[in-house]
Amino acid sequence: MKRITLVKTVLIFVSSLFVCYVAQPVYAQVDMSGVTFIKSETKRDPELEKAFSKEFGLKPGEDNVRYFYNRVDLNEDGASETFVYLTGPILCGTGGCSGLVLQRANGGYKVISRFSLVRTPVIISNDKTNGWKDIIMYVSGGGIEPGYKVLKFDGHTYPLNPSIQPDVKSGKIKGIGIIGDDVTENPGIEY
């Protein structure tokens, strides 16, 4: 009788371990060895500052904002778009900070896409959708299930919230990792 009880106990324990294992989310096995990481620009860009301050209603020197940016040709038209990553109390939360993709227009910039919940580095994939390179972002914090998400251009813009986009499929990612700075070496440009 004791032996049957011991066997039942072991079987219940093993089956509960199996249920716990199966119930856990499975993350894509993402290989980043095909990504070249670059640091952000370090020179102030007054026109860029004008564009993002208008978009977010920011005041220079008052809102405790810093920014990082890289220029990258997202639509392969020979002219670089600008990805800007903004940090500061009014632009960040537990899930990440804010970002923009801007394009040169009329001597300044126009906003193509606005992002929430951005974490760096941001991966500009070699894969394209509607003629624009896909953007890959890591999401976590604020109750978000951690993982890599792919943001695809819909013909006009990229999605605002990376956390609700499709997961990156397992495999090797090829592209450029922008804003790959160590913040202890480069805390960004003060606005």
Side-chain angles (χ1 to χ4, degrees):
M1 194 64 141
K2 287 182 181 181
R3 184 178 169 127
I4 293 173
T5 304
L6 178 62
V7 170
K8 283 183 181 178
T9 303
V10 168
L11 286 174
I12 290 170
F13 176 72
V14 169
S15 63
S16 68
L17 285 176
F18 178 75
V19 169
C20 289
Y21 175 75
V22 171
Q24 296 300 313
V26 177
Y27 300 111
Q29 296 298 315
V30 178
D31 177 356
M32 296 284 199
S33 64
V35 177
T36 302
F37 292 91
I38 60 173
K39 294 181 180 181
S40 64
E41 303 287 330
T42 56
K43 184 179 177 188
R44 292 185 79 101
D45 183 333
E47 290 300 319
L48 182 61
E49 291 176 357
K50 184 177 175 182
F52 71 66
S53 66
K54 180 180 177 187
E55 182 69 20
F56 290 104
L58 302 173
K59 297 178 183 123
E62 292 182 32
D63 291 317
N64 194 23
V65 170
R66 292 186 170 276
Y67 69 99
F68 301 80
Y69 71 96
N70 280 108
R71 299 185 200 291
V72 60
D73 190 357
L74 294 172
N75 59 3
E76 296 183 334
D77 66 353
S80 292
E81 284 69 39
T82 302
F83 189 101
V84 61
Y85 171 70
L86 299 124
T87 66
I90 65 172
L91 297 166
C92 299
T94 58
C97 295
S98 298
L100 296 170
V101 168
L102 302 111
Q103 197 172 49
R104 286 276 189 189
N106 303 322
Y109 290 92
K110 73 174 183 176
V111 175
I112 300 297
S113 297
R114 182 174 174 161
F115 305 99
S116 61
L117 309 175
V118 179
R119 293 183 177 274
T120 61
V122 173
I123 311 299
I124 307 300
S125 174
N126 288 350
D127 296 335
K128 293 186 283 187
T129 304
N130 293 313
W132 288 61
K133 293 184 177 186
D134 296 344
I135 297 175
I136 297 171
M137 293 186 191
Y138 182 76
V139 298
S140 70
I144 299 169
E145 194 68 45
Y148 289 95
K149 303 291 186 169
V150 61
L151 290 80
K152 296 176 182 265
F153 194 75
D154 70 4
H156 301 288
T157 190
Y158 289 96
L160 169 71
N161 183 347
S163 69
I164 58 173
Q165 299 311 306
D167 291 328
V168 170
K169 294 184 179 20
S170 295
K172 188 172 189 173
I173 295 173
K174 293 181 181 177
I176 300 170
I178 61 171
I179 317 200
D181 298 88
D182 176 346
V183 294
T184 60
E185 294 175 11
N186 177 14
I189 301 168
E190 189 174 344
Y191 176 66

